[in-house]
Structures are given as C-alpha cells and as structure tokens.
Amino acid sequence: MKIISNTIISIFLGLFIIACSVKNEKMSNKNIVVKNKEIETIYIQKIENDTLNLNEYLKEELLNLKKELTLNKNSSDAVIKTEILSSKMNFEHYYKQTDTIKCLSYRVTKNSRICIEYGKVKIPCNKKTFYLETKIDVIKQNKELLFSKVYKKTFSSNSCTKIKDSFKPSYKLIKNRDYQIKKYNSELAKIIAKESISEISKHLPTS
C-alpha cells in the first residue's frame, strides 16, 4: 500500500513539473513572438503644410528598412506623426570692405570734377540662413509613445555684389523668397528624415 501511495505521489509530481515546464515555455515563446513582431506595419500620418516633401522622404527611408507602409491607420502597428514647427529664412544685410581704392566723393567745378576723398570700396553683401524645425513622434496602436524628438537644422549662404553694382539699392531686395525657402529647406527635410528614421530604427526591427 505504501509503495502504491509513493508511486501515485511520484506520478503526480512528475505531471505537475511537466505542466509547469510547458506553461513556462509557452509564455516564453509568446513573449519572443510579441517582441519580434513589435512593429511590422507603419502608417505615416499626413503632415500639414508639407511643402518640403518631408512625408515622401520619410517613406523612402522606411522602405529602405523594408517596412510595410499602410494606407489605413487602424491596421498599422505604429503611427509616425510629424509636425513642421518652423520653416523660414532669415536675411541679414551688411557691407564688406575690399582692397579696391576708389574716389568716394568729388568736388564739381565748371569744367570738371575733382576727387576730394579716396578710400577702400565697401560692397553690399547678404547672409541667408535657412531654418527648419520639426517634431517627430512614433506611437503604437495602444497609444504607447515609442519615440519623440524635435529636430532643428540650419543652412547658411553668403553672397556679395560686384563692385560696379555696389550702389544699386535694389540689391537689398530678396527675390523669390518662397522658392528659396522651399528649395533649401527641402534639403534640410531630407537630412531630418534620414537622421530620424536611423534613430528610431531600434523600435522598428527589420524582418
């Protein structure tokens, strides 16, 4: 009788240990599956006032990661939300001194004019600084914020007029301002797209 009881107890303990092992194995495998499938499909939310092609640049970088882009927000694993906080150009006008000597002022006589002051010619120049600031968030369907960062990029260019045009007042005017902002800030948007997707790629494991 004692032998039978010990046998029953041994069988029961064996079954209990096996059951626990199977349960733990299932839980472990389930966690691995969830982790590996954390982000498979991505939806890029439409960017308001996107005149810089930032949306397309983000898509290109994500496709390089071999990620599936969806057209339906509700069927995605995560949403990329981007906001253009600022896109502008600052303009600064200044004068640059040259080594060219020129008569700066004259005294006019009846038959001629006589230079009364010589000096180095200063030519007008301008400095354009293009500035782009965006905020990029990656949000899972369960509203968990995976990534959030504000990106700020700038680009500056300097140009000076020729000496012969140095006294033209129209030089101070900025031509095609909107076109220039779009042209140069689009390049900044491309840099931001590449940098941001690279940084959040750890949350978007490749398949």
Side-chain angles (χ1 to χ4, degrees), residues 7-191:
T7 302
I8 293 174
I9 292 173
S10 298
I11 293 173
F12 177 77
L13 288 174
L15 291 174
F16 178 77
I17 292 171
I18 292 172
C20 288
S21 298
V22 172
K23 182 179 179 181
N24 288 335
E25 183 179 354
K26 287 183 178 180
M27 289 178 63
S28 178
N29 288 338
K30 183 179 179 181
N31 289 337
I32 292 173
V33 170
V34 170
K35 184 176 180 180
N36 289 341
K37 292 186 177 181
E38 182 179 4
I39 302 296
E40 287 187 334
T41 57
I42 303 165
Y43 174 81
I44 300 180
Q45 186 167 306
K46 184 178 179 181
I47 304 172
E48 293 186 11
N49 303 318
D50 183 18
T51 61
L52 308 177
N53 247 5
L54 179 56
N55 191 283
E56 293 302 316
Y57 295 145
L58 289 170
K59 287 181 180 179
E60 290 175 9
E61 294 299 327
L62 282 169
L63 289 174
N64 288 336
L65 291 179
K66 299 180 180 180
K67 285 299 167 184
E68 181 183 349
L69 303 180
T70 64
L71 299 177
N72 189 339
K73 178 180 180 180
N74 296 325
S75 64
S76 65
D77 296 322
V79 175
I80 292 182
K81 180 181 178 182
T82 306
E83 183 180 359
I84 296 178
L85 303 177
S86 180
S87 177
K88 62 184 180 180
M89 176 185 75
N90 292 330
F91 179 82
E92 178 186 348
H93 184 77
Y94 63 96
Y95 285 89
K96 177 182 178 182
Q97 184 169 286
T98 69
D99 294 327
T100 301
I101 303 296
K102 188 176 181 180
C103 183
L104 301 179
S105 60
Y106 298 87
R107 184 176 75 244
V108 180
T109 64
K110 186 176 181 180
N111 299 319
S112 63
R113 59 179 184 173
I114 301 172
C115 183
I116 59 175
E117 181 185 2
Y118 287 91
K120 290 184 177 181
V121 177
K122 292 182 179 181
I123 57 175
C125 304
N126 64 46
K127 179 181 179 181
K128 300 173 187 175
T129 302
F130 298 88
Y131 180 83
L132 179 61
E133 181 178 359
T134 68
K135 184 174 185 291
I136 298 180
D137 295 331
V138 182
I139 307 170
K140 290 182 69 174
Q141 279 297 345
N142 62 3
K143 307 302 181 182
E144 177 187 352
L145 184 63
L146 294 177
F147 181 87
S148 181
K149 184 175 178 178
V150 173
Y151 290 87
K152 300 178 182 180
K153 298 295 177 183
T154 61
F155 169 77
S156 297
S157 67
N158 293 271
S159 61
C160 298
T161 190
K162 296 179 181 178
I163 291 178
K164 65 178 182 178
D165 299 325
S166 60
F167 298 103
K168 289 184 178 180
S170 60
Y171 187 75
K172 291 186 179 182
L173 301 177
I174 305 176
K175 297 180 180 180
N176 302 321
R177 186 186 189 98
D178 291 341
Y179 169 78
Q180 292 186 58
I181 292 175
K182 181 178 180 180
K183 177 182 178 181
Y184 290 101
N185 282 6
S186 290
E187 292 301 315
L188 296 179
K190 188 181 295 186
I191 294 172

